[in-house]
Amino acid sequence: MVVSARGLVACIVAAALGCGPPVPPAPPPAAVLTPPQAGPNTPPVVSVSGNVLEGEVTYGASLSLSATCVDREDGARHDVQWSTDGGLLLGEGTTLRFLPEPGRYLILATCRDAARVATTVAATPPFTVVDRWSARDSIPITVTLPFATNRGGRMQPRAPGSSFDGSPRDSLVRGFLTVNVPSGDFRAAGSAQRTPFMRSVRGNVVSADKSRLWLRDIRTADSTQFASALTSAFSLGDEDDVLVFVHGYRTSFEGSVVRAARLAAEIQFEGATILFAWPSDALLASYRSDQRDARDAGRYLAALLRELQSAPHPRRLSIVAHSMGAEVLASGLLALESDGPRNGAADRPHLSLRDVVLVAPDLAASDFVQRVLPALRDRAERVTLYASSADIALWSSWGSNLERRLGLGGRFATVARGIETVEVPYSATDAIGHNPFAAEPFRDDLHRLLVTHLSADRRDLTAVARDDGLTMWRLP
């Protein structure tokens, strides 16, 4: 092989430096990129518009709010939550429609961006919703009516008023009714406020409910459930007074419910109105059998009063007895008086009553004064008797029983120590002078008696001096 002189020189040089394959040139170093410094995530900005409720507002007022949320990084946002300051979630989205129940409120709007950074603003000022109404509002109300009965029959949820008949049973059935009471049954004077047992019906009201009284619902409860439900309801309200209503002769179960629910609404009673329904046949010809059943029912009324008195937190008990319901009350009081060690009642607390009200009582006046009134003086803070000289039903009863009736007024009125006797004029009662509950003067006086707890001399009544030196009163 022939090698040129130049090639020989190159080979010698290569041998001196180390012979090998050619090495490609190294690539240029990679560029070092420094990431830009990230700025802080700006919270979204929230603004709220709509109707504003503030101060004290009446139940039925609604909120309609709209929120706009804009975030610097993410633009417009729709992730909005509406809540109360107590943490109750009301809705999600940019709009809120809300009908608040009675209570105190502060509505908050919260918006979050994509990074879940949130902004919360007050959507309303603080406000309080109260459920208060008067006769001018022309709205119905619902009354929760606890009841106890020794009537026979069986539950009929689709026809609550027909659940119990006129036959007696040897036990107490307890339960709760919900009754729609139309606006026309309210007192014209004053206003009422929601209680655990009474509330207004606003918003989508069936027009017929404004003028129709009907039984919406019925449910029974054993004695433990009954007491527990009452205790729970009382814990939600300001008053723990109990008014027991005892109906009169010729009254069906439904009729007794209607009368008791109307009574609660008419006088705007702030506690619980409890119906005691005894087994009346609801027939004109059943006067004698009703009278017997009324007297037999006294021991069941006594049992109910004992239950109410022995609650963990004893309540102030009052009683309103109408017509033959006075027989039930008298029998019940005498049953309480007969309680003694042999009946296992030695350790029972003394049953105390606040007000006992007898309305047109169909009861022998002499028997009441001699046997019943002493028990009432011992147990009741006050006894009020509403009587009328125009009571045709009691004049008829006098002829049938051959004894003067306690509910007769005028010169036959019963006036005694420990009773405030109030004469009811014919203009303040019904066609036969026996039922004053629908008359405005009677409603107003019963309200002052049972709700504001005023004595007769402070209730705008007219004092009537009698020849025997005693004083009775007269409705205006």
Side-chain angles (χ1 to χ4, degrees):
M1 175 173 132
V2 180
V3 180
S4 65
R6 181 179 295 177
L8 181 61
V9 173
C11 184
I12 294 172
V13 173
L17 296 177
C19 188
V23 178
V32 178
L33 300 177
T34 303
Q37 294 296 320
N41 186 357
T42 305
V45 177
V46 184
S47 60
V48 179
S49 60
N51 67 321
V52 175
L53 303 179
E54 57 183 322
E56 185 177 284
V57 299
T58 301
Y59 172 60
S62 63
L63 279 171
S64 180
L65 303 175
S66 178
T68 301
C69 180
V70 179
D71 184 70
R72 190 183 71 174
E73 291 81 16
D74 304 323
R77 298 288 297 171
H78 302 286
D79 187 6
V80 179
Q81 287 187 335
W82 306 88
S83 63
T84 67
D85 59 341
L88 177 65
L89 181 63
L90 302 177
E92 297 181 341
T94 57
T95 60
L96 171 71
R97 290 188 62 83
F98 176 50
L99 180 68
E101 290 290 309
R104 177 200 166 277
Y105 291 90
L106 174 63
I107 308 299
L108 306 177
T110 300
C111 179
R112 290 177 173 80
D113 63 12
R116 308 306 291 168
V117 175
T119 297
T120 299
V121 299
T124 67
F127 64 93
T128 302
V129 178
V130 296
D131 189 6
R132 185 179 291 120
W133 63 89
S134 69
R136 294 186 301 273
D137 291 324
S138 297
I139 55 173
I141 64 170
T142 59
V143 174
T144 298
L145 187 68
F147 74 90
T149 183
N150 68 316
R151 287 176 177 260
R154 59 185 180 85
M155 287 288 294
Q156 298 189 41
R158 293 189 177 182
S162 302
S163 294
F164 299 98
D165 55 35
S167 63
R169 87 167 61 220
D170 191 24
S171 62
L172 267 180
V173 177
R174 305 159 188 83
F176 296 87
L177 288 139
T178 304
V179 187
N180 182 87
V181 180
S183 57
D185 284 8
F186 305 159
R187 287 175 62 239
S191 63
Q193 185 166 319
R194 177 184 290 210
T195 73
F197 301 94
M198 190 158 48
R199 59 169 291 170
S200 72
V201 181
R202 298 179 186 264
N204 296 323
V205 179
V206 178
S207 58
D209 285 353
K210 293 183 178 181
S211 58
R212 179 178 58 149
L213 193 149
W214 62 287
L215 281 59
R216 293 174 176 264
D217 181 60
I218 186 172
R219 59 187 176 91
T220 56
D222 61 31
S223 59
T224 302
Q225 294 167 337
F226 188 73
S228 177
L230 285 176
T231 299
S232 297
F234 280 122
S235 69
L236 301 175
D238 298 327
E239 298 289 338
D240 61 357
D241 287 0
V242 172
L243 176 62
V244 178
F245 175 70
V246 187
H247 65 83
Y249 148 70
R250 196 186 169 193
T251 303
S252 66
F253 178 70
E254 183 170 16
S256 68
V257 172
V258 166
R259 177 69 272 146
R262 276 184 165 150
L263 175 65
E266 286 164 357
I267 68 172
Q268 299 156 355
F269 192 70
E270 297 173 353
T273 299
I274 299 178
L275 166 65
F276 178 77
W278 55 276
S280 166
D281 287 336
L283 297 172
L284 183 63
S286 297
Y287 181 86
R288 289 299 180 202
S289 63
D290 268 14
Q291 196 173 50
R292 289 191 298 270
D293 288 338
R295 291 167 180 168
D296 290 344
R299 58 195 174 106
Y300 297 103
L301 175 62
L304 173 64
L305 296 176
R306 283 292 189 199
E307 284 184 18
L308 296 173
Q309 183 78 17
S310 63
H313 302 287
R315 297 156 190 134
R316 294 169 294 187
L317 301 179
S318 295
I319 301 174
V320 172
H322 177 228
S323 186
M324 199 176 283
E327 287 275 16
V328 182
L329 175 59
S331 176
L333 288 170
L334 295 176
L336 290 172
E337 291 299 298
S338 67
D339 278 350
R342 61 190 177 85
N343 294 328
D347 58 345
R348 289 180 179 174
H350 180 76
L351 178 67
S352 298
L353 302 171
R354 189 169 196 172
D355 276 291
V356 173
V357 182
L358 302 164
V359 183
D362 186 7
L363 182 68
S366 58
D367 190 54
F368 172 80
V369 172
Q370 295 169 13
R371 301 177 63 213
V372 181
L373 185 55
L376 280 177
R377 287 185 182 134
D378 182 46
R379 297 181 183 276
E381 295 180 18
R382 179 169 48 205
V383 180
T384 303
L385 165 62
Y386 287 97
S388 175
S389 59
D391 194 325
I392 298 172
L394 292 186
W395 282 109
S396 175
S397 176
W398 187 350
S400 175
N401 290 284
L402 303 179
E403 293 182 280
R404 179 169 57 89
R405 312 318 284 171
L406 181 62
L408 285 173
R411 66 189 182 94
F412 296 105
T414 301
V415 182
R417 182 179 63 84
I419 307 176
E420 292 182 342
T421 302
V422 181
E423 177 80 20
V424 180
Y426 183 69
S427 59
T429 185
D430 64 356
I432 62 171
H434 192 59
N435 185 352
F437 287 96
E440 201 67 26
F442 179 78
R443 291 178 178 182
D444 288 342
D445 194 58
L446 208 55
H447 171 82
R448 296 186 185 105
L449 170 61
L450 293 172
V451 178
T452 61
H453 306 293
L454 298 177
S455 57
D457 59 349
R458 299 173 58 199
R459 299 205 307 266
D460 299 326
L461 299 172
T462 301
V464 179
R466 289 166 46 101
D467 294 339
D468 56 10
L470 298 176
T471 300
M472 60 184 294
W473 306 89
R474 183 179 175 87
L475 283 180

